[in-house]
């Protein structure tokens, strides 16, 4: 992610985030509220678990036949009058978008929500080439004004309090100083964006679902900003990761029901817009982006992470995400799903992320497409260690542990020594060097282990 | 029935009373219980840190120790789950496969195998039940809030058989406590914060005791309670079921 030049490890960023405990509490509660909304609405649908199973199976089918569906989609989209582009990686994606804009002499563009363009660092790339990009999703616009990356894939500015947004708007949009009423601020943003919409000739949107059988694509928003941008512009560019394909239109009946309920606890997104062919006098482009996805597809243990529909439910439920904030994951896609996607892109840079979890498994069980997220976190840990990205100190201590635990005699001695130390020289462990001790007391050390008790209290059969 | 007692290393060393309660409880229900003396650990601390490959010798030792019993019972959901999912050695394929199906966490053994309907236990306190994630989402000891599925709780049903015990309702009945093995030190800040939040939920609802089917979660929560000089204490579920 181009926003973060020097990557700070998750644990260190999280420690900084936790310096302001009141803020952590606020962040945790805000996201937990969304998790509860999701619970309520999903529990009110009898066939919820069945829907998850359908969605999972449809996506499995997609991943097994991805190349065919992509070609089918391409052929149908071309028939519909859409220009189709293929990008192998982020650089090619950015170059394609740039080329289309240049062809039309366009130097200002509106963009609705697209995690893919965040992944590719499109904004920075275009800005460096003298093209102004205005994010029209309110949350995206807020982080854009703050010159920060989004911290959540569905709620990009969830880390910002309304007072901070008020301050930002005062500075950039001239709202009243100290005003933080969400309605007032939203109205101000709308006004500002309306002018932008009217003067921009190009609009970029993301894609939630692309239907192979019809060559259409669906964009889900709550603000209608994707439609507004696309309908007013001469050129509509839609960018999508190649895994966003679904086979048939009827499958939308599964995914649209799952997406908004999982994301925000709404029955459906306010706008689910279907784009099939350009309007007269308009050009419509679609950019299909690989950027590591086909490599990911080849990794059997990890491929089904590509089923993700980017609902964000795994983030809202993640107890670690809620208490460390999206930026601590140093990638466009944060949280549990980010932690299983990003090691595929850059294992060294993202080696910390699969360890930023307790493997509690909540993510796996809220995921509407049933990705085995926590099992993949476990598997990534094994791969990362095997590939040599574990810290040396950890390697050494693990070797010792493996040795101690494989020998009953040494284990007995080590246990005795540890208990003796805790009882007689507690200062050896109760100090600043022991992270446990910072906010927790060590357990009391009994004189006798269970094994010792057992030997004296039960007849030994061996 | 021949039951082998599998006592996780940290219970053996730091919480022997939990192992004793487990042993006595199983004996009360007529099990012939043995404790294989050469046991050490399930290998989870290494495997969860990404060093599964270093746990081979530990796994072999486990298979040596626990072959030939009808059941293997452990007062830890987490260690039980680890054995069920990750006990693999190069040599003992047949034996290890059997062990993976024979290993039970204590409360699921009491409910599913022994089909316990009544208990003689007495524990006149307000108790908060902490669901350990591995026990709950891994072994399905109780239903999780994430799923749209009928609620049940094996440890909860046992606690309801205890005379005088009052279970408190929590705001977040199954949020992780933040222990997470080595996570508790590698991600110290988040781990401690998660623990503090979990403790607060129980304390707000006036629990005298926090109980769980996993001592590792409780060790972490105890560390926080003691630092806060809280009046709320921790107790393993085996100790409650064996009380009175
Ligand atoms: S992994 Fe699942 S829960 Fe997480 S964003 Fe993707 S679809 Fe949603």
């Amino acid at each position: 992610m181009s926003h973060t030049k020097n990557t700070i490890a998750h644990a260190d960023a999280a420690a900084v985030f936790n310096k302001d405990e009141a803020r952590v509490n606020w962040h945790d509660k805000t996201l937990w509220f969304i998790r509860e909304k999701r619970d309520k609405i999903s529990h009110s649908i009898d066939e919820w678990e069945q829907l998850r199973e359908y969605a999972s199976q449809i996506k499995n089918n997609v991943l097994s036949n991805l190349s065919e569906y992509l070609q089918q989609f391409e052929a149908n989209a071309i028939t519909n009058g859409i220009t189709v582009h293929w990008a192998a990686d982020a650089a090619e994606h950015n170059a394609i978008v740039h080329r289309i804009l240049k062809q039309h002499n366009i130097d200002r563009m509106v963009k609705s929500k697209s995690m893919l363009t965040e992944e590719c660092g499109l904004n920075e790339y275009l800005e460096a080439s003298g093209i102004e990009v205005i994010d029209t999703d309110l949350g995206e616009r807020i982080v854009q004004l703050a010159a920060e990356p989004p911290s959540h894939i569905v709620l990009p500015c969830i880390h910002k309090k309304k007072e901070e947004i008020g301050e930002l708007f005062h500075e950039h949009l001239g709202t009243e100083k100290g005003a933080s009423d969400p309605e007032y601020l939203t109205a101000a943003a709308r006004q500002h964006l309306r002018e932008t919409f009217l003067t921009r000739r190009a609009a970029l949107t993301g894609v939630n679902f692309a239907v192979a059988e019809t060559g259409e694509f669906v964009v889900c928003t709550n603000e209608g900003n994707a439609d507004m941008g696309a309908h007013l512009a001469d050129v509509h560019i839609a960018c999508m990761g190649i895994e966003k394909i679904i086979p048939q239109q009827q499958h939308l009946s599964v995914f649209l029901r799952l997406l908004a309920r999982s994301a925000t606890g709404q029955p459906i997104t306010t706008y689910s817009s279907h784009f099939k062919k350009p309007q007269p006098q308009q050009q419509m482009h679609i950019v299909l982006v690989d950027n590591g996805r086909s490599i990911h597809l080849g990794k059997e243990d990890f491929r089904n992470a590509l089923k993700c529909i980017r609902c964000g439910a795994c983030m809202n439920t993640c107890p670690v995400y809620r208490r460390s904030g999206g930026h601590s994951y140093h990638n466009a896609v944060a949280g549990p799903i980010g932690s299983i996607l990003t090691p595929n892109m850059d294992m060294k840079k993202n080696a910390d992320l699969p360890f930023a979890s307790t493997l509690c498994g909540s993510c796996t069980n809220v995921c509407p497409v049933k990705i085995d997220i926590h099992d993949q976190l476990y598997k990534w840990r094994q791969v990362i260690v095997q590939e040599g990205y574990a810290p040396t100190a950890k390697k050494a201590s693990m070797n010792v542990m493996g040795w101690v635990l494989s020998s009953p005699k040494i284990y007995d001695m080590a246990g005795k020594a540890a208990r003796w130390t805790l009882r007689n020289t507690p200062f050896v462990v109760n100090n600043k060097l022991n992270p446990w001790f910072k906010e927790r007391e060590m357990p009391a050390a009994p004189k006798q282990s269970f094994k010792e008790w057992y030997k004296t209290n039960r007849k030994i059969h061996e | 029935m021949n039951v082998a007692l599998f006592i996780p290393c940290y219970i053996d060393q730091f919480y022997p009373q939990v192992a004793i309660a487990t042993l006595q409880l199983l004996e009360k229900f007529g099990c012939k219980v043995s404790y294989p003396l050469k046991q050490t650990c399930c290998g989870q601390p290494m495997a969860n840190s990404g060093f599964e490959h270093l746990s081979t010798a530990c796994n072999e030792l486990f298979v040596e120790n626990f072959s030939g019993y009808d059941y293997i019972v452990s007062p830890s959901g987490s260690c039980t789950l680890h054995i069920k999912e990750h006990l693999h050695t190069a040599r003992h394929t047949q034996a290890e496969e059997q062990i993976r199906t024979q290993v039970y966490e204590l409360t699921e053994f009491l409910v599913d195998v022994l089909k316990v309907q009544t208990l003689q236990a007495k524990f006149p306190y307000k108790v908060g039940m902490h669901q350990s994630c591995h026990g709950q989402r891994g072994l399905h000891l109780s239903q999780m809030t994430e799923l749209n599925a009928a609620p049940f709780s094996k440890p909860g049903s046992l606690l309801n058989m205890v005379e005088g015990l009052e279970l408190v309702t929590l705001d977040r009945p199954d949020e992780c406590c933040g222990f997470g093995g080595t996570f508790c030190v590698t991600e110290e800040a988040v781990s401690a914060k998660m623990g503090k939040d979990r403790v607060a939920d129980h304390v707000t609802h006036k629990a005298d005791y926090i109980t769980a089917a996993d001592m590792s979660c409780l060790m972490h929560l105890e560390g926080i309670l003691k630092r806060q000089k809280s009046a709320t204490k921790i107790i393993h579920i085996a100790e409650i079921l064996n009380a009175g």
Side-chain angles (χ1 to χ4, degrees), chain A residues 389-427:
Chain A
Y389 294 117
T392 327
K394 198 166 193 176
K395 252 183 261 174
S397 69
M398 286 293 151
N399 269 313
V400 172
M401 197 187 274
W403 174 68
V404 171
L405 296 178
S406 61
S407 158
K409 270 214 190 79
I410 297 165
Y411 162 82
D412 286 347
M413 270 160 43
K416 225 187 181 123
R419 277 182 285 118
W420 187 91
T421 308
L422 272 173
R423 274 197 321 275
N424 298 292
T425 54
F427 51 85

Side-chain angles (χ1 to χ4, degrees), chain A residues 152-154 244 259 262-263 304-317 333-338 340-341 362-373:
Chain A
H152 187 292
I153 57 178
V154 173
K244 288 278 176 280
L259 177 62
S262 300
N304 89 22
L306 294 172
K307 295 196 291 186
C308 177
I309 59 171
R310 301 288 192 271
C311 72
C314 58
M315 303 172 152
N316 304 339
T317 202
V333 180
I337 180 63
I340 61 172
L341 287 175
S362 185
C363 47
T364 300
N365 291 289
V366 294
C367 177
V369 289
K370 290 190 160 185
I371 299 171
D372 53 343
I373 306 172

Side-chain angles (χ1 to χ4, degrees), chain B residues 4-44:
Chain B
L5 195 56
F6 159 37
I7 299 300
C9 46
Y10 62 94
I11 293 187
D12 174 40
Q13 294 296 331
F14 295 115
Y15 299 98
Q17 74 277 15
V18 174
I20 295 169
T22 307
L23 172 69
Q24 290 174 342
L25 193 59
L26 290 170
E27 286 175 343
K28 274 186 198 168
F29 286 103
C31 301
K32 188 167 163 286
V33 188
S34 323
Y35 172 74
L37 285 166
K38 291 200 171 118
Q39 60 181 290
T40 57
C41 166
C42 63
Q44 182 172 209

Side-chain angles (χ1 to χ4, degrees), chain A residues 425-443:
Chain A
T425 54
F427 51 85
V428 173
V429 284
N430 292 348
N431 59 44
K432 274 201 300 233
L433 296 173
N434 174 4
W436 174 280
F437 190 67
K438 209 173 151 207
E439 298 205 56
R440 290 161 288 205
E441 297 296 324
M442 292 293 283

